[in-house]
């Protein structure tokens, strides 16, 4: 993995500020737009409105209509024209308004975005970031709470990451934009307004790396995006019962960086995976498969999962039940410990 | 398009025209002027009732309604607006997660909705509360979607009204397929035939699905009316982010009629919709209608239109309010007395109260609803996940009873 | 699982014939069209031409243009109008010309086809079959050799099956058409011209069931579609080395029917999964995950896989290397046995 | 479209026209007649050279070429056709997995290809061997795709010719994005500006992506020429399975010019393409060109057109052969002598031999090619899979040396 090459924006060097995850993304996008004139932001309502979540707030005002584009309403058009712009030498950052609306753009993602580098054997680069606010928990109507990340993780030629906190959000979006490969960037929309300290002088971890957030010895819990916070809370709650959970933020879903997970499982002997997405044929299936292979002799229990059910996302009054929460994660931990 | 045009395509179309003439790409200002022109009453806008409530003639479209029918249209619009405002208020009070207002689009929707006959089918987008009303869907039936208790509770088959479709454009293809079925079933070919009407917005016209629906419907002569409510905005994006030319013009490129109607004129909307549906019934579909109207409220209760549009625009459109113009007309022509207006207002108040009461008393769905009707033939996996989950929930109850912790 | 309700076409009762898999599908479609006037066949070139693989050969001639539709060239249109036709009471069978061309129709599949039954709580049924000739090995150009089945297996509301031989092809297509749920029907295109005896009087197995094709004690090998033949051949080859493989044809990918796999693994202690699709976040990941969970104490080796690589499908001169063949399956079996 | 039309949209368009006139849905026969009409020389077909090789005038489009230029166009077409026939033959001999013939479309492609300038960019579909030729791509460079050794080997950046795109319609959006970039880069605005041309078929016009590309290009004034080769067939489906009206008419619905050109007339194709590209360079894009032509061979070598079309049709189109008409013209006007024709034929023979030799000597790619350039920054996973696989392959070599079995 190449060392991060991001220069720190000089204006804010050394500054530590308290920011929301949404604001961190906004600052990261701003830094990228400042650093490289080839970076474009495009999508529905990203311009004057600043996006329905205000992630692109103020960017069109400061960088102009040719850097921050309000596009016609069609996702295949957004991805498809971004591909042409990338061929022309631009680095488009596309916003898909909600997770459930990425599917009209699926064909361009699978057939062109993922394949052009391979098809051309490196002559055509695809430095495109597709930002997707994803997951549930915000009381929304249908199609606004989905977790489609596994579909992209299955596809060779794409890279898939997800941030879980403001600091990562700030750096990961910039690293994704700097990456010469197409990156599907999943943003945990129900965590947009969670805050933390952001010190822009601290070197970021490489983009495609997982990270142990909390050491522990009873069992390992790994998650990404919105479920990371849930798992950290679960670990805190478990402490009271004398259960010492190690928590890993996967951060990258394709390529997976399972080294830290293998190391952890070799120590704890137990792994629980948590995600909002349905479990069936998913990223968590892949991780379980690799872990049972790599840690076969270390596992004291099968790899278990706390995931969304294999149903369509339910009406929002039911989402609390659909989404694995602290209790469900701990229930699965208990089942793991019972082996 | 006259039959001769079909055999001699383009003869009089001017689209292959002189290069010198085509050479002038419009400026942004020209585009905007062109897109807006008819709001001031351009020659191609079908209007039967002016903003001042004056009944005018149109060379091609007319409608003959008795006084009671005119009053009914007024009542429809008032009740639908009141239900809409109540939905908005319920969201503000935390009773709904979101509300999608139709304010300003009552005439377009009631005109279209009242043109539909019992045997017809309608495919809404997510803002068609007015059409729902015309299909006999009680406004209370809409609340579940916005409260988050269901994804739409009415029966599309018995109401002739498909469930709301949120993914922009999808329903246009579904409607076209349905209309193909009407044709295959032999239900098309005379004035008592069946037809389908599909609703979508100006922004939706950019989606590939809407295009494919127009291609399909033309190729299969599907009896479908494409009813585009051009309310000038797709969330924060004005019409010129979607097109250079008025949307009704798209139809010519597919070989079927496209008509722009004053969407704030319920008479014109009704007249044009009826004509278009009759064309479809008779086997002359499809037809595109662009209802030129205005979204007088935010996109949804989550939206803040002050960030992207000027109050002036709103003020200008208030003068074209769809309800006000019919009210003035009814008064001016002495088709309704004060008593009528009072009764309608009272009815609206009752409706609002009923909606409110209903909303406050809506039960949350039970947890097993998460797993219900995923499939027609349930899989063992879904059954097992439900059982596991209910057992897990029961565990909490046990814990609670046993005074257990966590 | 409901018992099969298919009546046998009277004309051919008792007849045993030698048919290719392609012909079996054709016969199955014909039987369904005869049985139920609501069944429609639609897609690109399915009419006059009989489809590029001739699966629908002769059907338009015999059933007419309103039962067998040559559609405009757009996959979202095919799926989207099929949905409308289903709402109207029809049972459309859509042909997607090649695996790589299902993506323009992906949005309608995910957002409408998969969700309408749930959205309407059963008021709207979606008895639609989407036929997809899939997989490689035919020397084709790009986008004609893909295995996208895992993408659909991840989605609640869809059912996904794959046939591996003429007899199954004949019955499974009819059962899929009879099913009131949307079924993605994956046809192993490189096996289209393989033959077997078809006796239409023998009762078919239920659609959503796996089947043990060959008993064995050394290890279990499970596959679906085109890889089933490969695995059977591998089992024959392994015999010479004294390795006795049990081979399971999964047949259904969602819902999975893993009962026979669990039973088998409990006996053999070893499982090798084979598929042409890339392994990452796939159906084989899901199976491995469930097996390590259900058979934790029986496994003598981790579940291992022989799959396509996590790359885009390569130019066809390389496909022999890309696709897991008999040798690669046996190599993985050897690795399993080495534990 | 004159500028006035922009400010008074629809004033003279007739598309919102009288309902009585729009009421006549075309019959299937009318549709087919309408779609085919211009093949007989309808008023909207731009033609400069008749099938009989006679030079004719067109009121809007003209072109001034010297004798050498005319001969060059002839040479281009002959060489491209010969390469195409050789490709077909190589497939028949098992040297290629498939071949996609361009037979019959030489004039459309050479006209368009020769209109492109060095600074322009072209986005082909999969049949544009003639355009490739004009972009300086040697026909040998095409073979890898059809032999299965690569997915296209030329460099799009240096050739100004993107890789072949097989998923129908995708390239139209990619081209539009590229053209937006040309505009953002300030390369549009005068006669030396840049432009983009994108190629697609009649069948492709039904795809959502093609529509979205037209929407986008109009909204962003992208300098892109949509060059649709209407070769009458999408595999087995005739044009009437995609549309009721001629395809060039679609453009009007998006607010830019649409022109139908005789695609078997290389002069007309060149003239219209130049004009359209110049419009784009100057900032007046986009433009749609429908090149009315015919697929004189099968869809691909895997196809059997006798199953779906009549030999008669083919015979009729043979009379309009693009090469023959220029040949007759050159002879009739004494612009080329027998020596010239002989030299071109000899050159074609050489090309065929060279193509053949090249093909027979193409090495298979090495196994590690499966894993190469999946990413710009390779992942550890891909690296590991490559290593594993090469180690596995090496095992066979060891086995073989050790006389091992299996
Ligand atoms: C495929 C898709 N993309 C994005 C959205 C988010 N979205 C919801 S409404 C809307 C604007 C629609 O505008 P328009 O079609 O004009 O309809 P209106 O809301 O004005 O009635 C957008 C972008 C969506 N629902 N579906
Ligand atoms: C999305 C997609 N669907 C289906 C196909 C299969 N296919 C390849 S060519 C073709 C017909 C294309 O017709 P047309 O656009 O007229 O181009 P032509 O081949 O005649 O040049 C089809 C259906 C494809 N390549 N991509
Ligand atoms: Mg709108
Ligand atoms: Mg064609």
């Amino acid at each position: 993995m190449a060392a991060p090459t991001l220069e720190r924006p000089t204006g804010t060097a050394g500054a530590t500020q308290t920011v929301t995850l949404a604001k961190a993304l906004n600052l990261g996008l701003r830094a990228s737009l400042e650093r490289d004139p080839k970076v474009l932001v495009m999508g529905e309502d990203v311009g004057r409105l600043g996006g329905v979540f205000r992630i692109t707030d103020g960017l069109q005002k400061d960088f102009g209509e040719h850097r921050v584009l309000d596009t016609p309403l069609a996702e295949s058009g957004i991805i498809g024209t971004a591909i042409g712009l990338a061929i022309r030498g631009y680095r488009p950052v596309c916003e898909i308004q909600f997770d459930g609306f990425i599917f009209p753009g699926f064909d361009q993602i699978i057939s062109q975005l993922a394949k052009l580098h391979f098809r051309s054997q490196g002559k055509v680069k695809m430095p495109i970031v597709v930002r997707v606010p994803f997951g549930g928990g915000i009381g929304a109507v249908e199609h606004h709470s989905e977790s489609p990340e596994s579909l992209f993780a299955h596809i060779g030629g794409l890279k898939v990451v997800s941030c879980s906190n403001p600091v990562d959000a700030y750096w990961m979006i910039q690293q994704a934009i700097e990456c010469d490969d197409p990156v599907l960037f999943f943003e945990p929309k129900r965590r947009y307004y969670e805050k933390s300290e952001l010190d822009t002088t601290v070197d970021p971890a490489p983009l495609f790396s997982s990270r142990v957030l909390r050491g522990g010895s009873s069992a390992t819990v790994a998650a990404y995006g919105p479920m990371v916070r849930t798992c950290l809370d679960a670990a805190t709650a478990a402490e009271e019962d004398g259960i010492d959970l190690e928590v890993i933020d996967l951060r990258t879903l394709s390529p997976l960086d399972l080294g830290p997970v293998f190391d952890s499982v070799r120590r704890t002997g137990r792994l629980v995976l948590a995600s909002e997405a349905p479990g069936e044929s998913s990223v968590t299936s892949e991780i379980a498969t690799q872990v049972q292979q790599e840690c076969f002799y270390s596992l004291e229990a099968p790899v278990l999962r706390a995931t969304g059910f294999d149903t369509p996302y339910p009406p929002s009054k039911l989402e609390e039940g659909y989404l694995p929460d602290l209790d469900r994660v701990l229930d699965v931990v208990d089942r793991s410990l019972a082996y | 398009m006259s039959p001769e045009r079909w055999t001699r395509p383009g003869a009089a179309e001017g689209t292959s025209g002189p290069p010198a003439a085509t050479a002038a790409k419009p400026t942004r200002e020209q585009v905007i002027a062109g897109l807006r022109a008819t709001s001031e009453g351009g020659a191609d806008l079908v209007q039967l009732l002016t903003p001042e409530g004056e009944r005018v003639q149109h060379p091609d479209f007319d409608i003959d309604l008795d006084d009671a029918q005119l009053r009914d249209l007024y009542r429809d619009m008032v009740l639908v607006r009141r239900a809409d405002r109540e939905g908005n208020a319920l969201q503000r009070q935390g009773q709904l997660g979101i509300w999608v207002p139709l304010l300003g689009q009552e005439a377009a929707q009631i005109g279209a909705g009242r043109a539909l006959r019992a045997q017809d089918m309608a495919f809404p987008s997510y803002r068609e509360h007015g059409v729902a009303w015309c299909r006999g869907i009680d406004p209370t039936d809409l609340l579940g979607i916005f409260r988050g208790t269901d994804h739409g509770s009415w029966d599309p088959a018995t109401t002739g009204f498909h469930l709301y479709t949120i993914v922009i454009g999808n329903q246009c293809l579904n409607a076209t397929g349905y209309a193909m079925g009407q044709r295959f079933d032999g239900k098309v070919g005379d004035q008592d035939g069946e037809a389908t009407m599909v609703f979508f917005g100006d922004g939706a016209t950019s989606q590939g699905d809407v295009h494919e629906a127009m291609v399909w419907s033309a190729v299969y002569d599907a009896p479908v009316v494409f009813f585009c409510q051009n309310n000038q905005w797709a969330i924060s994006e004005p019409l010129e982010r979607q097109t250079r030319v008025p949307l009704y013009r798209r139809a010519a490129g597919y070989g079927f009629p496209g008509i722009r109607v004053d969407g704030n004129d319920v008479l014109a909307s009704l007249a044009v919709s009826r004509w278009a549906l009759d064309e479809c019934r008779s086997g002359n579909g499809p037809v595109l209608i662009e209802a030129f109207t205005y979204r007088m409220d935010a996109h949804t209760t989550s939206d803040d239109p002050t960030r992207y549009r000027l109050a002036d625009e709103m003020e200008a459109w208030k003068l074209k309010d769809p309800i006000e113009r019919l009210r003035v007309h009814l008064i001016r022509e002495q088709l309704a007395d004060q008593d009528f207006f009072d009764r309608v207002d009272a009815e609206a108040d009752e409706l609002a109260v009923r909606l409110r009461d209903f909303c406050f008393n809506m039960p949350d769905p039970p947890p097993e609803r998460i797993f219900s009707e995923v499939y027609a033939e349930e899989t063992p996996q879904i059954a097992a996940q439900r059982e596991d989950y209910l057992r897990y929930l029961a565990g909490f109850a046990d814990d609670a009873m046993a005074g257990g912790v966590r």
Side-chain angles (χ1 to χ4, degrees), chain B residues 216-232:
Chain B
W216 242 262
S217 61
V219 164
Y220 289 103
D221 305 332
V224 56
V225 177
F226 293 98
F227 195 95
C228 176
Q229 286 171 81
N230 171 5
N231 64 5
Q232 314 301 328

Side-chain angles (χ1 to χ4, degrees), chain A residues 44-45 52 73-75 96-98 100-104 142-144, chain B residues 100-101 105 109 125-128 165-170 200-207 228-237 239 242 295 299-300:
Chain A
E44 296 155 10
D45 307 292
V52 294
L73 205 174
E75 287 74 12
I96 298 296
Q97 199 160 80
F98 283 90
F101 308 139
I102 197 164
F103 302 118
E142 213 187 345
H143 311 288
H144 290 70
Chain B
V100 182
Q105 301 179 213
Q109 293 193 16
S125 172
Y126 43 77
R127 201 185 289 284
E128 274 67 66
T165 297
I166 291 176
V167 180
I168 300 289
N170 279 182
F200 55 104
D202 45 295
T205 60
S206 295
Q207 282 284 7
C228 176
Q229 286 171 81
N230 171 5
N231 64 5
Q232 314 301 328
W233 293 92
I235 308 188
S236 73
E237 301 196 10
L239 187 58
Q242 319 289 343
R295 199 194 76 207
H299 172 69
T300 67

Side-chain angles (χ1 to χ4, degrees), chain B residues 256-297:
Chain B
F256 55 82
I259 301 160
R260 183 184 259 194
V261 67
D262 184 339
N264 284 16
D265 170 356
V266 69
L267 301 188
S269 176
L270 178 61
V272 170
S273 298
R274 265 195 197 160
W275 176 82
L277 285 165
D278 284 347
E279 282 294 292
C280 286
R281 292 178 212 299
S282 320
N284 290 328
V287 175
L288 169 63
I289 297 173
E290 177 193 357
F292 200 81
T293 180
Y294 192 72
R295 199 194 76 207
M296 293 185 76
D297 197 345

Side-chain angles (χ1 to χ4, degrees), chain A residues 1 38 40 42 66 69-85 87-88 90 107-108 111-112 114 116-125 155-159 178-182 208 254-257:
Chain A
M1 218 83 50
K38 290 296 185 186
L40 303 179
M42 54 197 286
H66 279 182
L69 285 71
D70 270 329
T71 66
L73 205 174
E75 287 74 12
S76 192
I78 294 172
I79 309 289
T81 55
I83 288 168
L85 283 158
I87 296 172
R88 179 76 189 178
Y90 285 89
D107 179 41
Q108 285 281 351
S111 303
Q112 303 305 327
L116 265 166
H117 193 273
F118 182 72
R119 183 181 306 148
S120 71
Q121 285 294 290
K123 289 187 275 293
V124 178
K125 298 234 178 314
I155 302 297
L158 299 178
K159 292 179 173 174
E178 287 227 333
C179 178
D180 273 341
D181 291 305
F208 300 107
S254 183
L256 283 163
D257 176 37

Side-chain angles (χ1 to χ4, degrees), chain A:
Chain A
M1 218 83 50
T5 60
L6 302 171
E7 293 160 43
R8 281 169 219 114
T10 44
T12 54
T16 295
Q17 42 186 323
T18 307
V19 293
T20 60
L21 199 155
K23 182 68 185 173
L25 287 168
N26 179 270
L27 290 173
L29 287 169
R30 178 173 286 276
S32 294
L33 281 160
E34 269 166 9
R35 192 179 302 118
D36 183 347
K38 290 296 185 186
V39 172
L40 303 179
V41 167
M42 54 197 286
E44 296 155 10
D45 307 292
V46 299
R48 238 191 293 186
L49 181 63
V52 294
F53 291 108
R54 308 291 186 267
I55 306 300
T56 57
D57 192 27
L59 299 181
Q60 188 180 66
K61 195 170 129 282
D62 294 344
F63 296 94
E65 286 198 8
H66 279 182
R67 300 284 309 280
V68 181
L69 285 71
D70 270 329
T71 66
L73 205 174
E75 287 74 12
S76 192
I78 294 172
I79 309 289
T81 55
I83 288 168
L85 283 158
I87 296 172
R88 179 76 189 178
Y90 285 89
R91 304 181 84 85
V93 183
C94 303
E95 174 172 310
I96 298 296
Q97 199 160 80
F98 283 90
D99 32 60
F101 308 139
I102 197 164
F103 302 118
F106 204 75
D107 179 41
Q108 285 281 351
I109 294 176
I110 303 300
S111 303
Q112 303 305 327
L113 187 60
K115 294 194 169 80
L116 265 166
H117 193 273
F118 182 72
R119 183 181 306 148
S120 71
Q121 285 294 290
K123 289 187 275 293
V124 178
K125 298 234 178 314
M126 282 290 115
I128 293 178
V129 177
V130 182
R131 293 182 39 238
V132 189
F134 85 122
I138 62 161
V141 295
E142 213 187 345
H143 311 288
H144 290 70
S145 306
E146 316 225 331
S147 298
E149 61 277 9
S150 296
L151 302 177
F152 303 98
H154 180 58
I155 302 297
L158 299 178
K159 292 179 173 174
V160 184
V161 303
S162 182
C163 56
S164 71
N165 61 71
V167 177
D168 276 358
Y170 177 75
W171 289 116
M172 287 173 74
I173 188 66
Q174 294 180 68
Q175 293 169 317
I177 293 170
E178 287 227 333
C179 178
D180 273 341
D181 291 305
V183 178
L184 275 284
F185 193 90
F186 284 91
E187 304 173 359
K189 71 166 90 82
R190 67 169 151 133
R191 307 295 183 194
Y192 270 155
Y193 305 109
E194 295 188 1
K195 285 184 187 157
S196 72
E197 294 292 291
L198 171 64
D199 177 352
T200 56
T201 64
V202 176
D203 272 342
L207 178 57
F208 300 107
S209 66
S210 297
R211 192 163 55 210
V212 179
L213 294 186
R214 178 197 155 109
S217 56
S218 311
T220 308
V221 177
Y224 56 91
M227 286 301 296
V228 172
R229 175 81 268 149
T230 308
C231 291
L232 285 170
D233 292 346
T236 307
E239 241 174 37
E240 292 173 27
D241 296 356
I243 299 169
D244 182 21
L245 296 180
E246 179 142 325
V247 178
I248 297 180
D249 183 352
L250 293 163
R251 293 176 15 113
T252 175
L253 306 182
S254 183
L256 283 163
D257 176 37
L258 294 185
V261 177
F262 297 154
D263 288 349
S264 178
V265 171
R266 283 186 194 114
R267 280 186 286 104
T268 64
R270 299 185 150 81
L271 176 63
V272 169
L273 298 166
S275 84
E276 292 190 11
E280 196 177 350
S281 300
S282 68
V283 167
T284 54
S285 326
E286 178 63 24
I287 299 172
T289 301
Q290 292 195 30
V291 168
Q292 59 94 34
Q293 192 167 333
E294 292 302 314
C295 308
F296 187 66
Y297 294 117
S298 316
L299 280 172
E300 290 170 40
V303 181
L304 298 181
R305 298 183 284 174
T307 69
F309 302 111
D310 293 327
T311 66
Y313 200 85
S316 63
K317 286 279 183 198
L318 291 158
E319 67 184 343
E320 238 180 81
Y322 180 87
L323 297 170
D325 60 2
L326 185 154
D327 287 314
R328 249 168 74 200
V329 170
L330 290 181
D331 183 57
V332 179
V333 168
D334 286 347
R335 282 200 277 134
S336 174
L337 292 170
Y339 271 81

